[in-house]
Amino acid sequence: MHRDRWKTKKAKQEHFSKILRESRLGEYLTEHYDDLLNLLREHPAADEKIGVGVLAFKVDLVPPYFCRGFYILRTDGTSDDFSYRICLNGRPTAAQKTRRAFRNEIFPQIDSFRRVTFANGTAACAITGKLINNASAEVDHAPPETFARMMADFLALNNLRAENVETISHDGGVTHCIVDDGLRRAWQEYHAEHATLRAVSTAGHKLAHANDNNRKSTRAA
């Protein structure tokens, strides 16, 4: 068995997140082959994913929402995608599936915001003020209407618990969708009405979350 070279799970997650975020679409990840193969072996469906053997890995867009994801290219010419988060954390719980589905269902709004914000190529990070581009930016929900708060309020408004929302995945657990069409549309409309989106750098995003955690700690003290 291989031994991890990361001291913490967080460091390991950040390593693969960076590869996923920064790699060119469709380009073989030759220098990361060993790391990705060892990661894939931790997937709950590793034998199925690996199949006859892995020839190469790449980053490409995963349908139906065309977010970045890791792809396996097998020695027999077939391919499949896999989630590094599932490799690290196992299969998501029902509540986690709902959270992912709620995020996926607002992807068109996030994508539209990105296209408008970066129509001229760059924009200022809402936290640090430094210029960022579409490839390096993250889209954040400005407080007080954070994503978590909006989702919690929406569920409460509809007398629902996260673990009781029916979801479905079409791509092996990478993305999830809300099954009920009416609930999906209601959530999209609620998000469009309440969310204030902002483009931030990775550093700005971390700073915003640190400040938010500090505020929560102060209130709890």
Side-chain angles (χ1 to χ4, degrees), residues 51-99:
V52 296
V54 178
L55 176 66
F57 294 94
K58 67 177 181 178
V59 171
D60 217 325
L61 301 179
V62 180
Y65 295 97
F66 298 97
C67 301
R68 282 175 168 257
F70 286 116
Y71 270 86
I72 309 157
L73 289 86
R74 301 190 185 94
T75 54
D76 63 356
T78 59
S79 65
D80 197 2
D81 59 80
F82 74 98
S83 167
Y84 78 93
R85 292 186 179 89
I86 288 179
C87 293
L88 295 174
N89 304 313
R91 294 290 184 186
T93 65
Q96 289 171 333
K97 290 178 181 179
T98 297
R99 182 179 177 86

Side-chain angles (χ1 to χ4, degrees), residues 10-46:
K10 181 179 180 181
K12 185 175 182 178
Q13 179 172 320
E14 289 177 348
H15 172 75
F16 290 106
S17 176
K18 183 178 181 181
I19 295 173
L20 185 64
R21 185 174 63 250
E22 298 182 356
S23 298
R24 293 184 179 181
L25 296 180
E27 188 174 272
Y28 285 1
L29 304 172
T30 306
E31 65 177 299
H32 301 297
Y33 178 88
D34 289 339
D35 281 350
L36 288 166
L37 183 59
N38 286 331
L39 174 71
L40 181 59
R41 288 172 176 151
E42 299 176 31
H43 196 286

